[in-house]
Amino acid sequence: MLTLSPSLLPSLAAAVLYAAATIYQAIRMAQGAKADKRLLCLLGTFAVLGHSAALYFQLTRPDNLGLDFFGAASMISVAIIAVGMLACSRLPVENLLVLLFPLGLVTELLAQFAPSGTVPLIDEEPGILSHILLSIMAYGMFTIAVFQALLLLLQDYRLKNKHPAGLIKNFPPLQTMESLLFGFLWAGWILLSLSLISGWLFVENLFAQHLVHKTLLACLAWIVFSVLLWGRNRLGWRGHKAIRWTLGGFCLLMLAFFGSKLVREFILHI
């Protein structure tokens, strides 16, 4: 008798809801109209609930947590989407959801159906879990900042070429978009700082062989974002310079987490 994985139904439900929300919002944006925020958030909320339920079944083990490459990507994406929807309740950032919902769709399906590599088991000590949670929140906030930077880049390009209609018609003013970007960057920088501090406090050896690359790259990313925020505050950095620094710091974070994880699980099998 065929036994279905308990994560299959919530995973598929989340994927359908993410797809429906993405298609609906994309159609409204193509028409130059605003999507109904309440409907969008309703679809997103149920998608996040299904996504979270699927993750619970995918990651839990009898005595600990198993966090493989695709499971980690899925967990980060659902955290990003949850933060994005919370931000939508107070800030005009619903345009970000047209990028975030497909991210949730892809990562959840990969976590459900893609073959996993070596599955690292995570100790459930409170200090270690707090470090992991802070790292995920920091990565999620910087991911939102990157998507905001890409939308800002698109808006700037369309305005300079005198094509302000269509997709960007309902965007907030350029100055507001830039202020939102730096708000996300400040939040991400604070969370990344707390993540690094908790790592020093609770991880036995941050410079062990399997952690040294992740630690150094995360510290480099922290320096890049620190310089960017200092440049914004002291030198008034904005526009393309701010976007380049944002993308550079985010690439370092991606290498820190996903680069080392990909190599360890699928190449070295450790």
Side-chain angles (χ1 to χ4, degrees):
M1 182 176 178
L2 180 64
T3 303
L4 295 178
S5 165
S7 65
L8 180 62
L9 289 179
S11 177
L12 293 177
V16 169
L17 289 165
Y18 281 138
T22 302
I23 293 169
Y24 165 67
Q25 190 177 16
I27 290 173
R28 295 296 290 167
M29 292 178 77
Q31 295 170 343
K34 286 188 176 181
D36 185 325
K37 187 185 285 190
R38 287 177 298 179
L39 175 59
L40 206 57
C41 288
L42 184 66
L43 289 169
T45 299
F46 282 111
V48 165
L49 289 174
H51 193 158
S52 302
L55 270 175
Y56 173 80
F57 292 116
Q58 290 162 356
L59 302 184
T60 51
R61 301 290 188 272
D63 299 318
N64 41 40
L65 298 175
L67 195 62
D68 67 349
F69 179 83
F70 294 116
S74 182
M75 184 165 63
I76 289 173
S77 72
V78 77
I80 293 168
I81 294 166
V83 170
M85 289 199 301
L86 285 173
C88 283
S89 64
R90 294 185 174 273
L91 300 169
V93 292
E94 57 268 23
N95 293 311
L96 284 171
L97 297 178
V98 79
L99 300 175
L100 297 181
F101 286 150
L103 178 68
L105 169 65
V106 171
T107 56
E108 176 49 37
L109 289 179
L110 286 173
Q112 179 64 40
F113 295 110
S116 61
T118 305
V119 181
L121 299 180
I122 298 173
D123 193 346
E124 293 188 20
E125 291 182 7
I128 299 296
L129 290 178
S130 67
H131 170 66
I132 293 170
L133 180 61
L134 285 167
S135 299
I136 289 171
M137 291 173 64
Y139 190 90
M141 194 60 68
F142 281 124
T143 302
I144 292 176
V146 164
F147 285 154
Q148 179 72 7
L150 294 175
L151 290 177
L152 181 62
L153 189 64
L154 173 64
Q155 184 179 22
D156 182 62
Y157 173 79
R158 296 294 293 271
L159 289 173
K160 284 182 177 178
N161 287 273
K162 299 181 180 178
H163 296 292
L167 184 64
I168 68 166
K169 181 179 178 181
N170 295 307
F171 280 21
L174 200 64
Q175 187 174 0
T176 302
M177 291 281 284
E178 197 170 75
S179 297
L180 290 170
L181 168 62
F182 279 95
F184 292 135
L185 287 172
W186 271 111
W189 181 84
I190 291 169
L191 289 167
L192 181 59
S193 301
L194 293 174
S195 169
L196 291 172
I197 291 169
S198 65
W200 284 104
L201 292 175
F202 300 116
V203 177
E204 185 175 345
N205 183 7
L206 275 177
F207 292 97
Q209 185 176 0
H210 65 290
L211 291 176
V212 62
H213 296 93
K214 184 182 294 186
T215 302
L216 290 175
L217 288 167
C219 289
L220 285 174
W222 183 88
I223 291 170
V224 168
F225 287 120
S226 298
V227 171
L228 171 57
L229 293 171
W230 175 86
R232 169 71 170 183
N233 186 51
R234 295 291 185 181
L235 304 175
W237 288 0
R238 53 179 302 176
H240 287 246
K241 178 174 283 188
I243 292 170
R244 285 196 298 269
W245 279 80
T246 300
L247 295 176
F250 183 73
C251 286
L252 288 171
L253 277 184
M254 280 193 68
L255 287 173
F257 188 78
F258 288 110
S260 60
K261 202 166 182 63
L262 182 67
V263 170
R264 290 183 63 212
E265 291 184 27
F266 290 96
I267 298 176
L268 301 180
H269 300 288
I270 58 173

